[in-house]
């Protein structure tokens, strides 16, 4: 599927995707394809677990925005779970932290 | 070599004994860089400065691989590379690969006049990545938003002011999220407010994303605002490299307390004073030499 996508789990209407590694312009195309495939499934909420993502570049962030738009069209939601310092900095400098729902821990994930 | 002085984790570039010569019209050569040695640390903003003809622009051109060097080494310690890449020994393919890892903001912004701003920013992504067009469009929006030029995305470069071109040039220079950004006189020709805004952008990139920044400038207000460390060149050699505060001390010192010609020269340059060693070498100005001594 993608080197970045390590595990996909389903809990009711929530699909959680565990990601790991560095999301850069080399990885972004496959990562995007993998997420599009997951989004096509039966879900109300997509949770991307970013706790093991060490690096993300603009193409990785662009992928997150594209997936966010895709879900929004179908009234589905996207939650970014436990982004590390690097990911957080990129979201901040691009001002996307204002648009995304970010959960520090699983207990903060809104109900689907 | 450089590995003895620093590890790949703390160095971005190591410049070692770099010599650059140009042929003169009479069959001789003029040495513009004469054994330049210094390190650039990962994530820092290093300002390279010096008077006209000191070699700073030549050094920048050597750093970005535009000029080949006549001696010495320029080592790039890039992410995910086991060994440092020596730009002095690289062929064109190697240089092109390395160029994806750094961005350059040229004095003019260097935008393509036949493309809109959005197309200019998208170009490196289209050329160097396989990212979906819809994602490239999002990245372009993010980059233009970062430099506060989103409202101008469909304009042509000819419709922009100098400061706007610089901002747009910065958006394009950062399109591939470079590890290192080179800036050639980023404040030249800008009014103080626009210059300060460009400085803010540079500091934002450097501090939030740990982008290594190498800035060639002679605008001292800007240099002291953005620099972590500074390099002063004189006659093709490194006169001094140090933390910003060391240069602030020299700038603010009482001239009577300065130690030797080098410190007096730096003091004059940093203060933009008309009197001092730069204009008074050997006790005579260039004008006096020509008129009185006939040299």
């Amino acid at each position: 599927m993608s080197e970045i996508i390590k595990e996909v789990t389903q809990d009711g209407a929530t699909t959680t995707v565990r990601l790991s590694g560095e999301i850069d312009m080399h990885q972004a195309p496959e990562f995007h394809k993998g997420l599009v495939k997951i989004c096509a499934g039966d879900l109300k909420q997509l949770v991307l677990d970013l706790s093991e993502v060490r690096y993300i570049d603009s193409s990785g962030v662009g992928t997150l925005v594209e997936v966010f738009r895709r879900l929004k069209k179908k009234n589905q939601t996207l939650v970014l779970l436990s982004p590390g310092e690097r990911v957080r900095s990129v979201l901040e400098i691009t001002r996307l932290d204002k648009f995304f729902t970010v959960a520090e821990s699983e207990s903060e994930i809104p109900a689907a | 070599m450089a590995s003895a002085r620093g590890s790949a984790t703390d160095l971005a570039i190591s410049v070692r004994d770099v010599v650059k010569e140009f042929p003169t019209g009479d069959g001789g050569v003029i040495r513009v860089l004469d054994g330049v040695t210094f390190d650039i640390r990962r994530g820092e903003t290093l300002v390279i400065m010096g008077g006209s003809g000191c070699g700073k622009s030549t050094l920048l051109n050597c750093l970005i691989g535009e000029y080949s060097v006549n001696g010495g080494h320029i080592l790039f310690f890039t992410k995910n590379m086991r060994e440092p890449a020596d730009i002095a020994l690289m062929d064109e393919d190697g240089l092109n690969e390395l160029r994806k890892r750094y961005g350059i903001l040229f004095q003019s912004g260097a935008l393509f006049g036949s493309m809109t701003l959005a197309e200019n920013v998208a170009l490196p992504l289209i050329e160097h990545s396989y990212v979906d067009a819809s994602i490239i469009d999002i990245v372009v929006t993010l980059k233009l938003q970062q430099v506060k030029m989103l409202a101008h995305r469909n304009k042509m470069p000819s419709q922009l002011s100098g400061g706007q071109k610089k901002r747009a040039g910065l958006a394009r220079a950062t399109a591939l999220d470079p590890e290192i950004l080179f800036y050639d006189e980023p404040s030249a020709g800008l009014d103080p407010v626009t210059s300060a805004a460009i400085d803010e952008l540079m500091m934002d990139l450097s501090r939030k994303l740990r982008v290594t920044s190498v800035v060639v400038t002679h605008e001292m207000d800007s240099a002291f605002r953005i620099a972590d460390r500074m390099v002063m060149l004189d006659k093709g050699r490194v006169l001094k490299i140090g933390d910003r505060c060391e240069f602030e001390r020299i700038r603010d010192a009482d001239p009577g307390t300065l130690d030797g010609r080098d410190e007096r020269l730096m003091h004059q340059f940093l203060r933009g004073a008309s009197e001092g060693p730069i204009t008074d070498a050997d006790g005579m100005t260039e004008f006096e030499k020509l008129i009185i001594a006939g040299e």
Side-chain angles (χ1 to χ4, degrees):
Chain A
M1 192 183 279
S2 158
E3 279 183 37
I4 303 297
I5 298 173
K6 297 296 177 192
E7 189 181 34
V8 182
T9 52
Q10 183 92 32
D11 181 10
T14 298
T15 299
T16 301
V17 182
R18 185 168 64 83
L19 308 171
S20 180
E22 303 192 348
I23 310 174
D24 59 18
M25 66 176 177
H26 305 293
Q27 298 290 341
E30 282 304 307
F31 174 55
H32 183 228
K33 276 184 200 164
L35 288 184
V36 167
K37 204 170 172 186
I38 291 166
C39 289
D42 186 22
L43 60 94
K44 272 194 171 174
Q45 180 168 260
L46 179 66
V47 177
L48 297 180
D49 181 349
L50 297 164
S51 59
E52 293 171 28
V53 173
R54 296 186 301 273
Y55 174 87
I56 190 164
D57 73 1
S58 301
S59 57
V61 172
T63 303
L64 297 184
V65 174
E66 202 284 329
V67 168
F68 168 77
R69 285 180 184 170
R70 188 177 285 268
L71 292 168
K72 205 169 181 341
K73 275 182 195 164
K74 296 193 285 180
N75 284 326
Q76 297 162 326
T77 55
L78 175 68
V79 178
L80 305 182
L81 174 61
S82 307
E85 194 186 335
R86 166 77 200 188
V87 179
R88 205 172 281 277
S89 294
V90 176
L91 295 177
E92 194 184 310
I93 202 167
T94 52
R95 298 189 181 180
L96 290 174
D97 52 344
K98 309 271 187 297
F99 297 93
F100 287 132
T101 303
V102 178
E104 297 297 335
S105 62
E106 286 183 30
S107 62
E108 286 185 18
I109 297 172
Chain B
M1 212 177 344
S3 57
R5 294 179 172 90
S7 70
T9 54
D10 57 18
L11 283 185
I13 303 173
S14 184
V15 180
R16 295 275 155 247
D17 305 314
V18 165
V19 172
K20 179 63 189 173
E21 295 170 338
F22 291 100
T24 55
D26 57 4
V29 291
I30 182 166
R31 185 168 283 203
V32 178
L33 297 177
D34 188 11
V36 171
T37 295
F38 64 94
D39 289 329
I40 302 169
R41 298 171 188 159
R42 194 175 292 273
E44 77 171 347
T45 298
L46 182 87
V47 169
I48 300 171
M49 56 193 177
S52 298
C54 72
K56 58 184 189 298
S57 294
T58 301
L59 177 60
L60 180 69
N61 278 299
C62 291
L63 289 173
I64 63 175
E66 204 58 36
Y67 291 165
S68 58
V69 299
N70 297 98
H73 301 273
I74 299 173
L75 303 169
F76 278 72
F77 295 80
T78 50
K79 203 161 73 79
N80 300 337
M81 266 190 182
R82 284 186 192 164
E83 295 290 325
D86 189 344
I87 205 166
L89 304 175
M90 272 184 184
D91 57 16
E92 201 55 36
D93 287 346
L95 266 177
N96 284 336
E97 196 51 42
L98 187 65
R99 281 180 179 131
K100 291 180 199 170
R101 304 198 180 225
Y102 60 73
I104 308 164
L105 178 61
F106 293 100
Q107 272 197 50
S108 61
L111 301 166
F112 289 106
S114 58
M115 295 178 176
T116 65
L117 286 200
E119 288 165 346
N120 263 285
V121 178
L123 192 63
L125 288 152
I126 293 166
E127 281 190 338
H128 297 299
S129 81
Y130 298 101
V131 178
D132 203 81
S134 61
I135 293 171
I136 289 179
D137 194 52
I138 293 166
V139 174
V140 168
T141 302
L142 296 177
K143 296 296 174 185
L144 288 174
Q145 166 65 27
Q146 244 169 276
V147 299
K148 299 184 176 68
M149 287 293 290
L150 197 53
H152 306 282
R153 65 176 292 147
N154 294 320
K155 285 188 181 168
M156 305 303 280
S158 59
Q159 296 173 280
L160 303 174
S161 69
Q164 288 173 328
K165 281 181 190 165
K166 284 259 167 81
R167 285 168 180 270
L170 188 53
R172 198 180 66 178
T174 58
L176 296 175
D177 297 287
E179 295 169 49
I180 303 168
L181 269 169
F182 295 100
Y183 298 87
D184 184 14
E185 302 282 7
S187 308
L190 301 181
D191 65 76
V193 175
T194 309
S195 171
I198 294 279
D199 289 347
E200 284 294 327
L201 278 171
M202 291 162 64
M203 289 191 285
D204 227 24
L205 288 168
S206 173
R207 288 170 192 165
K208 289 186 180 157
L209 300 180
R210 279 205 85 212
V211 175
T212 305
S213 303
V214 182
V215 186
V216 167
T217 187
H218 60 256
E219 304 279 338
M220 285 302 103
D221 286 346
S222 170
F224 280 106
R225 205 156 37 216
I226 61 177
D228 294 311
R229 292 194 307 144
M230 299 169 130
V231 182
M232 179 89 182
L233 294 183
D234 181 45
K235 295 174 184 161
R237 288 175 168 272
V238 173
L239 202 61
K240 183 179 175 63
I241 178 162
D243 291 340
R244 181 181 58 199
C245 58
E246 294 176 49
F247 283 88
E248 283 170 340
R249 179 192 64 76
I250 293 169
R251 179 194 63 186
D252 300 336
D254 182 325
T257 65
L258 295 168
D259 187 16
R261 180 185 177 276
D262 287 357
E263 282 208 352
R264 285 191 293 116
L265 185 147
M266 285 188 277
H267 177 78
Q268 182 191 3
F269 182 83
L270 297 170
R271 293 182 75 89
S274 58
E275 295 295 317
I278 295 171
T279 45
D280 198 12
D282 306 324
M284 278 197 287
T285 64
E286 200 63 28
F287 179 64
E288 284 170 332
K289 279 183 188 175
L290 285 167
I291 296 296
I292 300 168
E295 289 174 12

